Amino acid sequence: MIEALGPNLGKPNTAAMGDGLFEIRARGREGIGRSLFAVVVDREVVILHSFVKKTQKTPKRELDKVRKRLKDLK
């Protein structure tokens, strides 16, 4: 059953970032929060990094941090 696996959020709540990374978005008082995650073995979701995004584009240093953490996981 697909329903047992949880909701498929899709855009605008989630987006693929490439290289197996995904982003989930949440609004709060501080701004728009982002959590970058990856799905690894057996559909296990691993949140690699969360931050409040201040600009339209995801900062390179945040992406570098996440890609290093993903590489360390594998």
Side-chain angles (χ1 to χ4, degrees), residues 6-52:
N8 182 3
L9 294 175
K11 287 202 175 234
N13 301 307
T14 62
M17 301 289 289
D19 300 325
L21 293 174
F22 299 88
E23 165 184 77
I24 190 163
R25 303 167 181 147
R27 290 184 187 265
R29 288 185 306 223
E30 298 82 15
I32 298 174
R34 301 286 199 244
S35 290
L36 300 177
F37 66 95
V39 178
V40 293
V41 181
D42 296 327
R43 294 187 178 154
E44 181 179 342
V45 173
V46 178
I47 306 286
L48 299 166
H49 185 53
S50 296
F51 58 97
V52 175

Side-chain angles (χ1 to χ4, degrees), residues 3 7 11 18 32 34 38 41-42 54 57 61-62 72:
E3 298 85 36
K11 287 202 175 234
I32 298 174
R34 301 286 199 244
V41 181
D42 296 327
K54 306 277 187 191
K57 188 173 179 182
R61 74 175 185 277
E62 304 293 354
D72 292 345

